[in-house]
Amino acid sequence: LFWSILATSCLLASPINFDYLGRLSTPWFAGIGIAILTANGMGLRFVFWGLAVTLIVNIAAALIGIDVFLQVNQAQISMDAWLNTKRYSGLIGHPNEFALLASVCAFMFLAAYPKPQFKFTLTILGILLVVSYLTGSRSVLLSTVIFAGFGLFSSQSQSSQSTLISSTLILIAACGSAALFLTTDALRAIERSSLGSIPVVKRIFQALNGSDNSFIDRLDMVSVGLRLFAEKPLLGHGPDAYTYVSGFGLYSHNSFIEIAVNWGLFGLAAYIAVLIFVWPTLATGNSAAKIHQTASSIGIAVLVTGMNFWSNAFLNRPYVVLLCVVATIGAGVINTKRRSSNRGSRIPRI
């Protein structure tokens, strides 16, 4: 339904926006197709390893110097040169897309291996840190913190309750440590140290000292997007309209704002309906669900929802695959509960 609304708007545009229709259809055909296969028995591990191979190929390309981004984005290169950072994109074409692929791959790992071995979790964590270094992406660093909080303790704990408690405690500790750093001279010491030369660390400090205004710019994008949404709340301004009517000349870095401006309430409601199906995966003891009520499923639900606040995730192929697969599992949880209720029996436990 969500894809149909967006695709129809592209076909009704004058002239027909075939380019944007292709950008929409590629990830959603892949996501819906893989979700259908998953619903009919294809294992989540197969999906994970498909993403993992893609990620490894991109990391290898970046390490040997192959970078599609350098070839087609001269304006962005100039900006990055001004910020004195080097960001790699591998074959995927953009550092942020590269970073999002790594984040999605990490949490698809948790979906495929809800209680993974500790050494494999550490390996995924190391890969996230490598991609964060290569791309200079602050969002993948945030994903790394979330993955560390939910993934590491998921691999160690013996029960869902202890997993949840441990994961919550590490996230609280991380937030507390960050707050402590902001009130001391530790930040200045880090900035002057060798750590301060790492691209992602450098970009964080550039945002803090005002030389990189991207965070403020993105808040402005949200503000402008809300104003544009208020102008045409029902049907929106049309496919890819935000890029042109906002005055920024680029996407909004926020899926909800982008969809609301382009397709109004109809498109936004359809997208939120897809996201709602992610959360029933937290149901316990359901043999129809591949994701238990553990730190793994909580982390996946948080990330799948949260990615939309800092990127146009609905146009990213790995993200849409993760969203469609997890939402399909959520729908399976709901259907199994309904059938069990109709039979008057309990949901079978794993």
Side-chain angles (χ1 to χ4, degrees):
L1 175 62
F2 173 70
W3 173 84
S4 298
I5 292 173
L6 273 56
T8 301
S9 72
C10 292
L11 294 173
L12 293 178
S14 182
I16 297 176
N17 197 334
F18 285 111
D19 178 65
Y20 201 71
L21 177 61
R23 289 172 57 195
L24 285 170
S25 300
T26 302
W28 285 92
F29 280 177
I32 293 169
I34 292 174
I36 290 173
L37 292 175
T38 302
N40 286 277
M42 185 178 75
L44 292 180
R45 296 184 181 185
F46 183 83
V47 181
F48 162 70
W49 282 109
L51 291 173
V53 169
T54 304
L55 177 61
I56 292 170
V57 168
N58 276 277
I59 291 175
L63 291 175
I64 65 176
I66 300 175
D67 202 314
V68 174
F69 187 69
L70 295 176
Q71 302 170 14
V72 297
N73 292 277
Q74 293 301 320
Q76 182 71 34
I77 292 169
S78 298
M79 187 187 77
D80 284 344
W82 175 69
L83 293 173
N84 195 28
T85 60
K86 177 65 178 76
R87 305 180 66 194
Y88 296 88
S89 70
L91 300 174
I92 206 165
H94 196 286
N96 291 340
E97 298 292 320
F98 190 4
L100 198 58
L101 170 62
S103 299
V104 168
C105 188
F107 284 87
M108 183 60 79
F109 168 75
L110 289 184
Y113 301 90
K115 294 183 179 180
Q117 293 186 29
F118 187 67
K119 60 183 178 181
F120 294 131
T121 307
L122 280 181
T123 301
I124 297 295
L125 185 59
I127 291 173
L128 283 173
L129 291 173
V130 168
V131 174
S132 178
Y133 174 82
L134 290 172
T135 62
S137 172
R138 291 163 293 199
S139 61
V140 77
L141 200 59
L142 176 60
S143 299
T144 303
V145 173
I146 297 174
F147 180 82
F150 291 109
L152 288 175
F153 284 91
S154 176
S155 64
Q156 289 295 292
S157 64
Q158 299 300 314
S159 68
S160 299
Q161 184 178 8
S162 61
T163 298
L164 179 58
I165 294 173
S166 300
S167 302
T168 303
L169 288 176
I170 193 174
L171 288 177
I172 292 174
C175 292
S177 300
L180 179 63
F181 277 138
L182 290 174
T183 59
T184 66
D185 292 332
L187 283 176
R188 295 189 187 92
I190 293 174
E191 187 175 14
R192 290 192 297 265
S193 70
S194 58
L195 283 175
S197 63
I198 297 175
V200 64
V201 177
K202 184 181 293 185
R203 294 191 72 218
I204 291 172
F205 282 111
Q206 287 166 346
L208 291 174
N209 63 31
S211 60
D212 179 359
N213 295 321
S214 60
F215 180 72
I216 301 300
D217 290 341
R218 293 184 188 189
L219 291 179
D220 290 340
M221 289 176 179
V222 171
S223 178
V224 170
L226 292 174
R227 176 177 57 80
L228 293 171
F229 172 62
E231 292 176 1
K232 294 185 177 181
L234 291 180
L235 299 178
H237 292 261
D240 204 22
Y242 182 92
T243 302
Y244 305 102
V245 300
S246 66
F248 290 104
L250 71 163
Y251 58 92
S252 64
H253 294 81
N254 185 303
S255 293
F256 300 116
I257 293 296
E258 191 86 11
I259 293 169
V261 171
N262 293 351
W263 298 283
L265 283 174
F266 285 99
L268 186 61
Y271 189 61
I272 291 175
V274 179
L275 288 173
I276 287 174
F277 279 104
V278 169
W279 291 90
T281 58
L282 304 185
T284 59
N286 192 329
S287 61
K290 303 294 184 183
I291 306 175
H292 305 215
Q293 187 182 359
T294 62
S296 298
S297 59
I298 298 169
I300 291 167
V302 169
L303 189 89
V304 169
T305 305
M307 275 185 175
N308 292 284
F309 289 99
W310 65 74
S311 68
N312 279 19
F314 74 100
L315 292 175
N316 179 271
R317 278 166 287 186
Y319 171 81
V320 173
V321 169
L322 178 63
L323 171 61
C324 289
V325 168
V326 176
T328 299
I329 294 171
V333 172
I334 294 173
N335 288 337
T336 303
K337 282 185 173 182
R338 184 182 299 116
R339 291 170 184 170
S340 178
S341 176
N342 291 339
R343 292 195 304 266
S345 60
R346 297 182 63 188
I347 299 173
R349 292 190 173 276
I350 295 177

